[in-house]
Amino acid sequence: MSLNSDLMTRRLAAIPRGVANGTSVFSARALNAEVWDIEGRRYIDFAGGIAVLNTGHCHPHILAAVEKQLHAFHHTCFQVLPYEPYVALAERLNAIAPFKGAAKTIFFNTGAEAVENAVKVARAATGRSGVIAFSGAFHGRTIMTSALTGKVMPYKKQFGLMPGEIWHVPFPVEHYGVTVTDSLKALDTLFRVDIDPSRIAAIIIEPVQGEGGFHVAPPELLVALRKLCDAHGIKLIADEVQTGFARTGKMFAIEHSGVEPDLVTVAKSLSGGFPLSGLIGRADIMDAVDPGGLGSTFGGSPLSCAAALAVLDVIENEQLLMRATQLGEKMRARFAGWPEARNIRGLGAMMAFDVADGEMAKRITGRALELGLIQLSCGVYGETLRFLMPLTISDSVFDEGMDLLAQALQA
Ligand code: PMP
């Protein structure tokens, strides 16, 4: 039997420290909301591979779909020999796109790549290059998406010149004392001081900030952004990479606000862990790019498309929208009884609370792991505990995990 400590020694020697590990536990197998490590120890998974496993580990319907595709063919490159699962998945996403009118969808591999391409499409459709993002946002780790990300350390500090014509305005967070009015004033100032709105291609926003701390974008902000975009011909991009696919109790988090974006980036739980991202957009905008301007060798892999089609079935068949709402209510009720839990917030099952500081959050996640619970933190100061358990989790495993967390809070 390999030991976690032996593998960690090999990992440290073989893999750069720039990719950080939240735990020092190596996984051996997993099922739904449970994981077993290489030493045979069981853990409850409240991380879901960072929002990827809304449908749980190794869901039999998803595995069966991937297995079937695997034995038919597993790569042709969509640009060389197209295949039906790619088309069928685009059709299904177009049918549920969170805006009225015709939609088109293209697939890539990672969330960052989806965001990169959202910017490319918005630029092509508008003939402009400016992009506005928010403080605390996370959009990825490529150079463009690092630039859009609203946090310097560790995402930008060491990486030199960032692409130009990117601006940040404050994201409204009540307990940081930043209001919607403050955000809108900052936009107004930006348009007077730095750049005319006629040079802005897009505004990008997470309907609920993920890495930044699970802050819900107030609907009145989204409504105001939509108005501004309409007034100035700017495209509104909803980055739903972390919020998508039932997590918040709707297929897309922006649906809670009633605001219709122009472009939507998706990844993570779209395909239950088989690498896939996508860009869903209004058809006329999506068709602005000339043939060859978009694409990717692996983008929309047949295996990942087969997985995603099965994920959509599971969300429907197992009523995961309702389950997310229910899990969210259960979490709120539980957290309300914990004096350590501050600023309890979220949408559906995308819930979080703060503890006193980042050090305390670290102690709690460390203690949780010792007790058998995989628990993530996040937030600008690392002070937030966030919950991303599979929506397919059973009530008994959910309760067991919450009991472990209650114990860990005493750390
Ligand atoms: N956008 C959002 C909102 C995200 O949460 C993430 C990943 N945490 C990304 C983009 C980047 O996705 P990826 O790591 O797949 O590139």
Side-chain angles (χ1 to χ4, degrees):
M1 184 177 77
S2 303
L3 292 175
N4 286 314
S5 55
D6 292 346
L7 258 181
M8 188 45 82
T9 306
R10 284 170 54 196
R11 175 262 182 261
L12 290 171
I15 296 159
R17 65 195 183 99
V19 51
N21 295 116
T23 73
S24 49
V25 167
F26 288 77
S27 37
R29 67 190 172 88
L31 189 62
N32 199 3
E34 293 165 281
V35 182
W36 288 263
D37 76 0
I38 54 170
E39 296 177 13
R41 175 129 202 258
R42 169 183 173 264
Y43 295 86
I44 292 174
D45 187 359
F46 274 7
I50 318 189
V52 169
L53 298 166
N54 288 356
T55 50
H57 290 277
C58 297
H59 193 291
H61 182 64
I62 299 167
L63 289 196
V66 172
E67 208 167 324
K68 188 166 168 228
Q69 182 61 49
L70 181 62
H71 293 292
F73 65 93
H74 50 85
H75 179 78
T76 59
C77 185
F78 186 74
Q79 287 123 280
V80 178
L81 287 176
Y83 38 87
E84 202 212 345
Y86 191 119
V87 179
L89 183 59
E91 286 170 344
R92 268 178 90 170
L93 294 177
N94 294 341
I96 58 168
F99 50 79
K100 287 185 236 26
K104 286 195 172 184
T105 296
I106 179 170
F107 297 110
F108 306 99
N109 306 281
T110 64
E113 221 184 329
V115 173
E116 288 271 353
N117 281 280
V119 172
K120 282 173 66 176
V121 168
R123 285 181 168 184
T126 58
R128 313 168 177 181
S129 46
V131 186
I132 296 170
F134 286 84
S135 61
F138 184 86
H139 296 295
R141 287 186 175 85
T142 60
I143 292 286
M144 170 55 85
T145 58
S146 296
L148 291 172
T149 289
K151 188 175 177 185
V152 168
M153 208 29 216
Y155 304 123
K156 299 198 243 207
K157 188 175 170 197
Q158 295 181 292
F159 305 119
L161 183 65
M162 293 283 142
E165 301 227 312
I166 288 172
W167 290 271
H168 288 89
V169 290
F171 188 90
V173 178
E174 203 183 324
H175 59 269
Y176 294 163
V178 183
T179 63
V180 172
T181 307
D182 293 332
S183 301
L184 296 176
K185 265 195 196 148
L187 267 172
D188 184 59
T189 304
L190 179 76
F191 291 150
R192 282 185 294 109
V193 172
D194 284 314
I195 185 148
D196 192 78
S198 65
R199 283 180 50 203
I200 299 295
I203 298 177
I204 183 165
I205 187 164
E206 296 159 270
V208 183
Q209 284 199 334
E211 305 305 310
F214 279 31
H215 304 299
V216 181
E220 59 274 28
L221 174 70
L222 296 169
V223 169
L225 293 180
R226 181 69 271 174
K227 263 196 199 145
L228 210 75
C229 287
D230 289 340
H232 298 290
I234 298 168
K235 305 304 174 199
L236 182 62
I237 305 171
D239 184 349
E240 295 261 6
V241 165
Q242 189 153 163
T243 48
F245 303 99
R247 173 55 51 188
T248 68
K250 303 246 185 221
M251 207 52 129
F252 303 103
I254 198 152
E255 293 173 56
H256 290 275
S257 69
V259 167
E260 298 188 7
D262 300 303
L263 294 160
V264 185
T265 53
V266 292
K268 292 194 186 264
S269 274
L270 161 65
S271 45
F274 294 86
L276 184 68
S277 67
L279 177 64
I280 308 168
R282 296 182 193 270
D284 56 327
I285 299 174
M286 293 294 280
D287 275 331
V289 179
D290 291 330
L294 301 175
S296 154
T297 301
F298 290 123
S301 143
L303 297 177
S304 299
C305 288
L309 286 163
V311 163
L312 295 175
D313 293 342
V314 172
I315 292 174
E316 217 175 285
N317 296 342
E318 301 186 17
Q319 299 181 313
L320 295 187
L321 302 185
M322 205 171 74
R323 179 63 174 158
T325 306
Q326 196 183 56
L327 286 172
E329 283 162 7
K330 277 162 79 83
M331 279 188 264
R332 269 182 199 279
R334 205 62 209 250
F335 301 162
W338 294 341
E340 298 84 358
R342 308 173 176 183
N343 307 321
I344 298 165
R345 59 187 178 271
L347 261 187
M350 190 165 180
M351 289 293 301
F353 62 78
D354 295 340
V355 293
D357 54 35
E359 278 310 306
M360 182 170 174
K362 251 190 220 151
R363 280 201 303 279
I364 293 166
T365 54
R367 181 70 188 131
L369 192 72
E370 287 169 8
L371 293 168
L373 175 69
I374 301 163
Q375 173 66 53
L376 290 176
S377 59
C378 66
V380 173
Y381 310 104
E383 78 287 27
T384 303
L385 297 183
R386 59 168 156 172
F387 297 84
L388 290 165
M389 67 282 288
L391 304 175
T392 47
I393 193 170
S394 68
D395 281 334
S396 64
V397 172
F398 174 88
D399 290 338
E400 193 188 337
M402 284 294 157
D403 291 343
L404 294 178
L405 184 66
Q407 274 185 61
L409 283 178
Q410 306 311 316

